[in-house]
């Protein structure tokens, strides 16, 4: 069992990384393998809505998104981490996630998901809500902790002083491990829920 943790920050060893590392440490302690990858320093462009991916299962822009696809497909859980920029997840991370979730056609049901956000002072909860939406449209159970998964800091040292934030990350890691194991158990016993055929309506009446 393994979890992929994606760091959307351009700082390879910054606050978001620090928070993700604590989650990874707890997952490892519970016997779950982890891989932290950093995409935030890359030149990530946004989705152009060409929908080629609906035929190919990959993005027309052959970059980190397509490189991450097999890792995401093989993972039992995904953690997405972002610093807060002007009250939202950072732009590169949003560009990356839009294309990752739109272009990948594999079954994501019952892979668990969690978001982690880091701000110096404000905007964490709004950013957290934005990130969780990727899971909730993908039939991915969202893992909770004892507080919303946020830390506060301008430097990794600040984050480590945010004792409640650090504890929130630890609880998140433990809960995620438990849920992954429980879902694996459930899948072995019952299989996945039956697929309901997709219905795509828009709001134009004929
Ligand atoms: C362009 C930019 C915008 C930012 N906007 C906010 C903000 O709206 N609220 C806030 O509290 N911190 C803001 N910050 C600070 C970072 O969110 C904060 O220091 C974060 O913990 C950095 O995480 P990192 O070290 O993983 O990059 C901003 C930083 C940058 C570079």
């Amino acid at each position: 069992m393994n979890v992929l943790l994606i760091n959307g920050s351009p700082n390879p060893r910054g606050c978001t990384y620090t928070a993700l590392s604590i989650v990874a440490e707890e997952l490892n302690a519970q016997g779950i393998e982890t891989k932290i990858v950093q995409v935030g320093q890359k030149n990530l462009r946004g989705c152009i809505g060409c929908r080629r991916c609906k035929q190919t299962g990959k993005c027309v822009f052959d970059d980190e998104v397509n490189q991450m696809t097999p890792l995401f497909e093989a993972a039992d859980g995904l953690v997405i981490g972002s610093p807060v920029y002007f009250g939202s997840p950072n732009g590169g991370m949003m560009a990356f996630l839009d294309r990752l979730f739109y272009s990948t056609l594999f079954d994501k049901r019952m892979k668990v998901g969690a978001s982690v956000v880091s701000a110096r002072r404000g905007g964490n909860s709004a950013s957290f809500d934005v990130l969780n939406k990727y899971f909730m449209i993908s039939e991915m159970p969202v893992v909770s902790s004892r507080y919303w998964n946020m830390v506060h800091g301008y430097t990794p040292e600040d984050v480590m002083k945010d004792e409640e934030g650090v504890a929130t990350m630890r609880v998140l890691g433990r809960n995620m491990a438990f849920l992954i194991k429980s879902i694996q158990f459930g899948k072995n016993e019952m299989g996945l829920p039956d697929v309901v055929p997709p219905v795509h309506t828009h709001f134009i009446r004929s």
Side-chain angles (χ1 to χ4, degrees):
M1 285 176 267
N2 77 93
V3 169
L4 176 65
L5 301 96
I6 301 176
N7 181 9
S9 170
N11 296 315
R13 295 286 182 271
C15 302
T16 311
Y17 174 82
T18 305
L20 290 174
S21 299
I22 299 165
V23 179
E25 209 175 278
E26 289 298 327
L27 286 163
N28 296 154
Q30 304 297 323
I32 309 279
E33 287 176 26
T34 55
K35 185 177 176 69
I36 303 181
V37 291
Q38 205 219 347
V39 298
Q41 83 288 17
K42 308 284 183 186
N43 188 15
L44 294 164
R45 59 156 309 138
C47 177
I48 56 167
C50 69
R51 301 189 190 161
R52 278 290 304 283
C53 55
K54 301 301 162 206
Q55 275 96 51
T56 63
K58 60 180 192 172
C59 186
V60 279
F61 302 114
D62 196 20
D63 60 5
E64 278 66 29
V65 170
N66 290 342
Q67 287 164 24
M68 221 50 67
T69 295
L71 301 184
F72 183 13
E73 186 167 13
D76 302 288
L78 180 71
V79 183
I80 52 180
S82 177
V84 172
Y85 283 6
F86 292 95
S88 298
N90 71 321
M93 186 58 160
M94 294 299 294
F96 173 83
L97 291 171
D98 285 353
R99 290 195 290 118
L100 182 71
F101 276 80
Y102 201 70
S103 67
T104 48
L105 307 180
F106 59 80
D107 192 357
K108 301 177 184 71
R109 291 176 305 148
M110 301 305 146
K111 291 180 187 294
V112 299
S115 308
V116 166
V117 286
S118 176
R120 183 187 68 81
R121 192 163 180 83
N124 261 339
S125 56
S127 304
F128 182 63
D129 291 344
V130 170
L131 293 178
N132 283 332
K133 292 195 172 83
Y134 291 96
F135 306 128
M136 301 199 76
I137 201 168
S138 308
E139 300 187 54
M140 293 176 64
V142 178
V143 186
S144 61
S145 181
R146 253 192 334 227
Y147 196 83
W148 304 311
N149 310 327
M150 58 180 69
V151 292
H152 288 92
Y154 202 59
T155 65
E157 293 72 34
D158 295 338
V159 170
M160 293 313 291
K161 287 184 203 151
D162 175 6
E163 288 180 25
E164 187 167 354
V166 168
T168 301
M169 296 304 135
R170 292 209 183 286
V171 174
L172 175 64
R174 283 178 203 201
N175 288 353
M176 190 171 220
F178 180 83
L179 260 183
I180 287 171
K181 290 174 190 172
S182 303
I183 286 172
Q184 190 58 52
F185 181 76
K187 276 202 249 179
N188 292 343
E189 291 292 309
M190 302 175 287
L192 285 169
D194 291 338
V195 175
V196 176
V199 183
H200 287 285
T201 54
H202 47 61
F203 301 101
I204 300 168
R205 289 167 195 266
S206 55

